[in-house]
Amino acid sequence: MTIRRLGPGDEAIVVQLGGEQPLTHAQAAELVADERTLYLVAFDDEEPVGYVFAHQLLRRHGDRSQLFVYDLEVNESRRRRGIATALMRELELISREHGIQTGFVLTNSSNAPAMSLYRSLGGVRPNQDDTMWEFDYTA
């Protein structure tokens, strides 16, 4: 297994990983061209078997930036083999290289595999009160 950060020229891989709602080639190009986007893919030979997708968020106080892990996915047939852990460890290395000292991810408390993974990676839940609010801007 190898892990590689996607960049310009990897648009076809981004489209392939899109699942039920794949991006267009143009959308994929815009995504991988953004230096603040970290899109790491795990490959078994040439086959993508998992990915982690994160954004470097600039901040106006405290650390100059923080990492938001937006999406982590491993093919169902490849789970429980350390792929997600390897992806997250590689993301940590790249974050450190970019001076990013903290990061966060959102998940459902009922997602036991995700909760176990993030805990095993040293993640902590700062409190039980955090709530996420969503806004619809389509109107």
Side-chain angles (χ1 to χ4, degrees):
M1 180 186 70
T2 59
I3 295 176
R4 183 167 61 84
R5 181 177 179 182
L6 300 186
D10 291 323
E11 294 82 6
I13 297 168
V14 174
V15 172
Q16 178 184 353
L17 292 171
E20 295 177 12
Q21 297 179 341
L23 298 176
T24 66
H25 186 83
Q27 291 168 323
E30 181 180 13
L31 197 64
V32 295
D34 185 342
E35 281 297 314
R36 293 188 193 130
T37 297
L38 299 172
Y39 203 149
L40 307 180
V41 177
F43 292 91
D44 183 3
D45 291 321
E46 298 296 316
E47 178 189 0
V49 295
Y51 67 87
V52 63
F53 179 72
H55 298 284
Q56 179 183 3
L57 303 175
L58 299 181
R59 300 179 66 200
R60 62 181 208 107
H61 55 78
D63 294 338
R64 68 177 186 86
S65 65
Q66 189 173 40
L67 192 71
F68 170 42
V69 179
Y70 182 79
D71 197 11
L72 173 65
E73 183 69 39
V74 175
N75 293 2
E76 194 168 341
S77 65
R78 305 295 180 104
R79 293 180 184 162
R80 309 286 307 156
R81 298 182 188 184
I83 296 171
T85 298
L87 285 163
M88 291 296 288
R89 292 289 183 213
E90 185 67 20
L91 187 62
E92 178 183 358
L93 290 173
I94 292 171
S95 295
R96 287 181 180 182
E97 289 171 3
H98 286 88
I100 303 169
Q101 297 181 11
T102 60
F104 68 97
V105 63
L106 302 172
T107 192
N108 294 326
S109 297
S110 61
N111 186 340
M115 296 293 283
S116 178
L117 171 68
Y118 300 135
R119 189 177 302 109
S120 77
L121 292 166
V124 294
R125 293 177 73 185
N127 62 61
Q128 303 297 317
D129 293 334
D130 287 341
T131 301
M132 183 178 85
W133 295 83
E134 291 185 0
F135 299 93
D136 183 358
Y137 297 123
T138 59

